[in-house]
Amino acid sequence: MSTNKRMGKQTVCYQVPPIILGTGTVAGKKESEGPIGSYFDVIAEDNVLGAKTWEKAESKFAERATKEAFKNSGVAPEQIQYLFGGDLLNQCTGTSYGVRDFAIPFVGLYGACSTMALGLCMASAFIDGGYADYCGAITSSHFCSAEKQFRFPLEYGGQRPPSAQWTVTGSACAILGDKGDGPMIDCITTGKIVDMGITDANNMGAAMAAAAADTLMVHFQDTERKPSDYDLIVTGDLGYVGKSVVIDFMQEGGFDLSKNYNDCGLIIFDREKQDTHAGGSGCACAGLTFCGYLYKLLQNKQLHNLLFVATGALQSPLSVQQGESMPGIAHAVSIRANS
Amino acid sequence: MSTNKRMGKQTVCYQVPPIILGTGTVAGKKESEGPIGSYFDVIAEDNVLGAKTWEKAESKFAERATKEAFKNSGVAPEQIQYLFGGDLLNQCTGTSYGVRDFAIPFVGLYGACSTMALGLCMASAFIDGGYADYCGAITSSHFCSAEKQFRFPLEYGGQRPPSAQWTVTGSACAILGDKGDGPMIDCITTGKIVDMGITDANNMGAAMAAAAADTLMVHFQDTERKPSDYDLIVTGDLGYVGKSVVIDFMQEGGFDLSKNYNDCGLIIFDREKQDTHAGGSGCACAGLTFCGYLYKLLQNKQLHNLLFVATGALQSPLSVQQGESMPGIAHAVSIRANS
């Protein structure tokens, strides 16, 4: 294979960009009431799609989002060679139970909240490499299952500090192919683990900000692009605190993000009206914001060049209890409208 | 890219097979006392490499196994473009903390005990696709962290039924490249999720057996090979119960595995002498057996053609408590000695 599509150490630019043929999104009630609520395919008014537990609900969300993506892309499950996906639940059961009936070869990913971008990286590489005609990328998160697993039982009613973020309830899936119409993935930059030594599980944004800045700088260096080459640069779910940290880090690195940079955690919720403190988080934060909203702006040519950088924190509640810091990771996907 | 290396729906055969340049293994005391104990690079006599918790120990194992793989392959971390890995711990912290200092772009995987094979699939595809000169695949498991997380606190001393398996304590890493000397990966078959409806967390082997049989049959159909084309076919960690189920399933499917098939869970421990009931399990079962033992048989040409099929069960303790069954998955990697 030719390697001339590799740029720098962490970036691959495709000579024939894989195409995102369609997406599917399922969102919770709060998400539907946010600024981009009208962009989602399915709204779960009850937040559980009738499921008996929050974890089963998350799997139902994943199943439904994947089915919506099949429909919207016009690609049937039998045509798809690989499905890449994961979520925040222990052992990634949100995804594995959600997609188990589709009989698609499955590559389980764990990228925490960076999973949507990681899935797009893997799926686009497998399309470009000729291993598949069609691939899917899926992720999910649920406010209730996440709070229960990572923080406090909801019934406890623990107070949330201003730096805390609100886990997005929803699931998003994208279907990629080697031909057809739709936004195109032209470059991917796969991130390194970056650990700033932050141990406050209520300050995830800051923990992930350094990883986001690292991946952004590497992306610009590898591709010799600059922030102004993109209409919009979005990070995954850093929220209000993490976003400002990224802007500062990038400024120090000589990159000005003040004009065209935002964070999915600040796009999906109205912080003031919806009382989400520092903004949204969770795999579905970047998932829904990209697959629901940004994807459609690219389809309609309202956006021409997007740099989508989903971010994840790789700790567990147990590792934090054992005094460990929270390593972050971020993966960047450059997507342009199909001209 | 040409697609003619694709065979059937789930299999890719490489025209230029990626090479496994070296492996690194760290094993616990019990593993070192088993039939293949002499094949491991590092033995942790204390089972924790001096760490204060079992989870921190698992990360230390992962870090050390990766360093051994760097050394044995002669490849430095700076030369490696992608590291693929994961483990059984919640949020895959065994791997992420273990490899965080290497500054290698990281793709977190969740394949439960199939992770070693899944990592080899991803790493070989990224080499073949021209995205990397060198890739790594890493996984780990620890008896104590696994029992604590999935079953009972060790202090409880719960009785283990005959079908229960013994989670292997260890970590294994493989480094792949596009040129050099070493065993070659010529085909990969990525598995589908298969759910037999089994809900007994002490009978994982049976839960995974159907997935193993599904992937094996698809592999033989896709490649038009037969079991006798391999010197040895090994599944990941089905143990005594699961192995017999696979042989029966394959017999029904018209494939005779009675002559050259074994399971890593039965290779790594002496069931009678070591009292491991149905045999070994855990990510490190297939990891150590392949990277420590089978890899060296391929290097020495004692084995010429190996079909390595690691198997995973995709449930969580919570999903089982909520009455869910345990979906299984298996990924197959065909590896031949470098002639």
Side-chain angles (χ1 to χ4, degrees):
Chain A
M1 303 292 172
S2 70
T3 58
N4 64 353
K5 54 179 143 31
R6 276 167 51 193
M7 303 183 75
K9 182 178 174 184
Q10 290 175 236
T11 302
V12 170
C13 288
Y14 301 118
Q15 285 149 331
V16 181
I19 294 158
I20 307 174
L21 297 167
T23 62
T25 51
V26 181
K29 188 166 189 299
K30 189 182 186 81
E31 291 68 24
S32 74
E33 294 162 352
I36 60 172
S38 63
Y39 286 85
F40 305 130
D41 296 321
V42 178
I43 305 302
E45 285 295 330
D46 67 352
N47 289 313
V48 292
L49 290 174
K52 284 192 177 154
T53 73
W54 295 322
E55 293 76 19
K56 288 176 189 282
E58 193 171 328
S59 293
K60 275 201 162 197
F61 274 57
E63 179 180 14
R64 183 67 188 275
T66 309
K67 286 179 175 173
E68 291 295 313
F70 295 152
K71 192 177 70 190
N72 295 337
S73 65
V75 179
E78 314 78 71
Q79 299 174 271
I80 299 172
Q81 283 85 11
Y82 298 93
L83 184 57
F84 298 85
D87 56 90
L88 287 167
L89 292 181
N90 297 344
Q91 289 73 56
C92 299
T93 53
T95 306
S96 53
Y97 286 103
V99 305
R100 65 178 152 179
D101 294 333
F102 296 132
I104 302 171
F106 177 65
V107 177
L109 301 177
Y110 186 74
C113 306
S114 73
T115 303
M116 191 75 237
L118 184 58
L120 293 174
C121 290
M122 294 295 106
S124 59
F126 267 60
I127 295 287
D128 173 73
Y131 309 127
D133 302 316
Y134 301 102
C135 287
I138 164 81
T139 195
S140 64
S141 57
H142 196 293
F143 175 78
C144 301
S145 63
E147 285 297 307
K148 167 187 172 183
Q149 179 179 280
F150 286 104
R151 296 177 188 89
F152 299 106
L154 290 181
E155 297 77 0
Y156 174 76
Q159 277 227 340
R160 309 171 65 244
S163 62
Q165 294 171 244
W166 188 281
T167 302
V168 167
T169 297
S171 179
C173 179
I175 304 296
L176 282 68
D178 61 351
K179 59 184 77 61
D181 190 34
M184 307 177 292
I185 294 179
D186 74 333
C187 294
I188 60 170
T189 300
T190 308
K192 305 185 289 276
I193 297 173
V194 176
D195 194 331
M196 293 279 288
I198 290 170
T199 56
D200 176 4
N202 278 313
N203 197 359
M204 311 278 281
M208 296 187 282
D214 184 78
T215 297
L216 281 163
M217 286 192 212
V218 168
H219 175 79
F220 292 129
Q221 287 154 5
D222 284 355
T223 59
E224 295 175 348
R225 296 178 185 180
K226 36 190 197 320
S228 59
D229 291 334
Y230 292 98
D231 298 342
L232 180 64
I233 297 164
V234 291
T235 44
D237 58 340
L238 302 179
Y240 183 75
V241 177
K243 179 187 174 183
S244 62
V245 176
V246 167
I247 291 173
D248 293 347
F249 279 177
M250 293 302 286
Q251 197 70 52
E252 290 167 20
F255 297 97
D256 177 15
L257 289 193
S258 63
K259 296 179 188 60
N260 57 340
Y261 164 57
N262 204 351
D263 181 79
C264 296
L266 300 171
I267 294 172
I268 196 164
F269 290 129
D270 182 319
R271 279 180 67 222
E272 310 310 324
K273 294 206 192 87
Q274 296 188 284
D275 187 31
T276 56
H277 294 49
S281 67
C283 298
C285 181
L288 283 180
T289 304
F290 173 72
C291 290
Y293 175 58
L294 299 170
Y295 176 78
K296 283 154 192 170
L297 296 187
L298 286 158
Q299 272 186 314
N300 306 336
K301 315 276 168 50
Q302 292 165 261
L303 265 182
H304 296 280
N305 296 288
L306 170 71
L307 186 60
F308 173 60
V309 188
T311 43
L314 300 176
Q315 89 290 355
S316 73
L318 186 64
S319 69
V320 171
Q321 287 162 6
Q322 293 185 357
E324 278 290 0
S325 54
M326 303 189 294
I329 196 160
H331 306 293
V333 185
S334 168
I335 306 154
R336 59 174 201 254
N338 205 328
S339 47
Chain B
M1 302 292 173
S2 69
T3 58
N4 65 353
K5 56 180 137 36
R6 276 168 52 193
M7 302 184 76
K9 183 179 173 183
Q10 291 175 234
T11 302
V12 170
C13 289
Y14 301 117
Q15 285 150 333
V16 182
I19 295 159
I20 306 175
L21 297 168
T23 61
T25 51
V26 181
K29 187 166 190 302
K30 189 182 186 81
E31 291 68 25
S32 74
E33 295 161 351
I36 59 172
S38 63
Y39 285 85
F40 305 131
D41 297 320
V42 178
I43 305 302
E45 286 294 331
D46 67 353
N47 289 312
V48 292
L49 290 174
K52 284 190 175 152
T53 73
W54 296 320
E55 293 76 18
K56 288 177 189 283
E58 194 171 327
S59 292
K60 276 202 163 197
F61 275 56
E63 180 180 14
R64 183 67 189 272
T66 309
K67 286 179 174 172
E68 291 295 313
F70 295 152
K71 191 176 69 188
N72 296 336
S73 65
V75 180
E78 314 79 68
Q79 299 173 270
I80 299 171
Q81 284 85 10
Y82 298 93
L83 184 58
F84 298 86
D87 56 272
L88 287 167
L89 292 181
N90 297 343
Q91 290 71 58
C92 299
T93 53
T95 307
S96 54
Y97 286 104
V99 306
R100 66 179 153 180
D101 294 333
F102 296 132
I104 302 171
F106 178 65
V107 177
L109 300 177
Y110 186 74
C113 307
S114 74
T115 302
M116 192 73 236
L118 183 59
L120 292 174
C121 290
M122 295 294 107
S124 59
F126 267 59
I127 295 286
D128 173 74
Y131 308 127
D133 302 316
Y134 302 102
C135 287
I138 163 82
T139 195
S140 64
S141 58
H142 196 292
F143 175 77
C144 302
S145 63
E147 285 297 307
K148 167 188 173 182
Q149 179 179 281
F150 287 103
R151 296 176 188 87
F152 299 106
L154 291 181
E155 297 78 0
Y156 174 76
Q159 277 225 341
R160 310 172 63 247
S163 62
Q165 293 169 245
W166 188 281
T167 301
V168 167
T169 297
S171 178
C173 178
I175 305 295
L176 282 69
D178 61 350
K179 59 184 77 64
D181 190 34
M184 305 178 291
I185 295 179
D186 74 333
C187 294
I188 60 171
T189 300
T190 309
K192 304 185 291 276
I193 298 173
V194 177
D195 194 331
M196 292 280 287
I198 290 169
T199 56
D200 176 3
N202 278 314
N203 197 358
M204 310 279 281
M208 296 186 285
D214 184 78
T215 297
L216 280 163
M217 285 192 212
V218 168
H219 176 80
F220 293 129
Q221 286 154 7
D222 284 355
T223 58
E224 296 175 346
R225 296 180 185 178
K226 33 187 200 324
S228 59
D229 292 333
Y230 291 98
D231 298 341
L232 179 64
I233 298 164
V234 290
T235 45
D237 58 340
L238 302 179
Y240 183 75
V241 177
K243 178 185 174 182
S244 64
V245 176
V246 166
I247 291 172
D248 293 348
F249 279 177
M250 294 303 287
Q251 197 70 52
E252 289 166 20
F255 296 97
D256 177 14
L257 290 193
S258 63
K259 296 181 188 59
N260 57 340
Y261 165 57
N262 203 350
D263 181 78
C264 295
L266 299 170
I267 294 172
I268 196 163
F269 290 129
D270 181 320
R271 280 180 65 223
E272 310 311 323
K273 294 206 193 89
Q274 295 188 282
D275 186 33
T276 56
H277 293 53
S281 67
C283 298
C285 181
L288 284 181
T289 305
F290 174 71
C291 289
Y293 175 58
L294 299 170
Y295 176 77
K296 284 154 191 169
L297 296 188
L298 286 159
Q299 271 187 315
N300 306 339
K301 315 277 173 33
Q302 293 166 265
L303 265 182
H304 296 279
N305 295 289
L306 169 71
L307 186 60
F308 173 60
V309 187
T311 44
L314 301 176
Q315 89 290 353
S316 73
L318 186 63
S319 69
V320 172
Q321 286 161 7
Q322 293 184 358
E324 279 288 0
S325 54
M326 303 189 295
I329 195 160
H331 306 293
V333 185
S334 167
I335 306 154
R336 59 172 201 254
N338 205 330
S339 46

